[in-house]
Amino acid sequence: MNFRRQYYNQDFDPNDIFREVFGSAMFPGGPGGPNVRMYTFGGGFGNGGFVRMHRTGGGGGGNQEEPPQNVLMQLLPLIILFMLSFMSFGIDETSNLPFSLSPTADFSVKQLTRSNIRGIAPDVSYYVRPNFKRLYRRDPSRLYNVEKNVIRQFYGKAEKNCLAEKRNQNQRIAKYRKEKDDEKLKKAYEKKLQWCEELTRIKSYV
């Protein structure tokens, strides 16, 4: 939307701007409601002007200025929506998970994902709170969901670390080849990439 081109002149209707930005379904009659209109004075928004709302029709004897508190109440749902949208940014998706892939003060008890469970890679370590078993041992479906989340989180970690291992290996190979050190070059080629092996092991479970 090109507001500069469409509303360059002084004679524009702010209600049209609100309808274009927020949609007519949210504000059927403009930003103040079905019987509220907005008018500009003094050259519009961009030229030092100002906007006034007033209610039209619906009783009260013609044009009646809208009390500020009423305008605020009518705009309150939109304000709340914006606040919730901003609050949603930056929230860590793992903050509510009942485990951690690394030991912490809260997650100090080591666990391993179970074997012979369909869709679960076995022997992946994770850490839980001391009351984890009491909360989850009687609910297999909840425990299964936890372990699936463990596998997903671990896969992302393994993928990242595998890339780092490959990058380091390629750097060593290039260095030893340049130095013509055949012994070190051979070891660089033969060095196991543990995270890449883990990535291959659990890939089919993700």
Side-chain angles (χ1 to χ4, degrees):
M1 291 180 292
N2 191 339
F3 293 116
R4 182 180 296 276
R5 181 178 67 253
Q6 187 172 354
Y7 299 108
Y8 182 80
N9 295 327
Q10 297 180 11
D11 299 329
F12 66 86
D13 186 354
N15 296 282
D16 294 333
I17 297 179
F18 270 81
R19 278 192 291 270
E20 285 199 36
V21 175
F22 303 112
S24 59
M26 183 176 291
F27 295 101
N35 295 323
V36 176
R37 300 290 294 173
M38 294 177 63
Y39 294 93
T40 62
F41 300 89
F45 288 128
N47 296 313
F50 61 93
V51 177
R52 172 174 293 178
M53 289 185 182
H54 72 82
R55 185 173 297 279
T56 60
N63 294 342
Q64 181 179 358
E65 291 190 8
E66 185 73 8
Q69 60 269 27
N70 288 354
V71 175
L72 179 61
M73 291 301 297
Q74 290 163 353
L75 294 178
L76 188 59
L78 181 61
I79 295 173
I80 294 175
L81 178 62
F82 283 160
M83 291 177 63
L84 291 176
S85 299
F86 283 117
M87 289 172 62
S88 65
F89 289 110
I91 295 178
D92 185 0
E93 293 182 356
T94 65
S95 60
N96 293 325
L97 294 177
F99 68 88
S100 172
L101 295 181
S102 303
T104 67
D106 290 333
F107 303 99
S108 56
V109 180
K110 185 177 180 179
Q111 292 281 112
L112 294 175
T113 53
R114 296 168 296 170
S115 303
N116 302 321
I117 303 296
R118 185 176 181 180
I120 301 296
D123 300 324
V124 174
S125 62
Y126 62 104
Y127 296 84
V128 298
R129 296 186 177 94
N131 62 347
F132 180 83
K133 286 186 177 181
R134 178 173 58 83
L135 295 175
Y136 288 88
R137 66 182 176 182
R138 295 182 180 179
D139 194 338
S141 62
R142 289 182 67 195
L143 181 57
Y144 178 85
N145 290 333
V146 169
E147 292 184 329
K148 285 298 289 185
N149 280 326
V150 168
I151 299 303
R152 294 190 191 100
Q153 294 283 331
F154 186 79
Y155 180 85
K157 180 179 180 180
E159 188 175 38
K160 180 180 178 180
N161 290 337
C162 175
L163 291 175
E165 283 182 335
K166 288 181 177 180
R167 182 170 59 251
N168 291 335
Q169 183 187 50
N170 291 334
Q171 290 174 350
R172 288 195 300 269
I173 289 173
K175 176 184 177 182
Y176 300 144
R177 182 179 288 128
K178 185 177 180 179
E179 296 175 352
K180 297 182 180 180
D181 191 330
D182 294 338
E183 184 178 352
K184 290 183 178 180
L185 182 61
K186 181 182 179 181
K187 289 182 178 180
Y189 273 113
E190 293 177 348
K191 183 177 176 59
K192 289 185 177 182
L193 306 181
Q194 295 180 353
W195 280 106
C196 293
E197 291 179 355
E198 279 293 282
L199 184 66
T200 301
R201 183 178 77 88
I202 69 171
K203 191 171 184 179
S204 61
Y205 296 96
V206 178

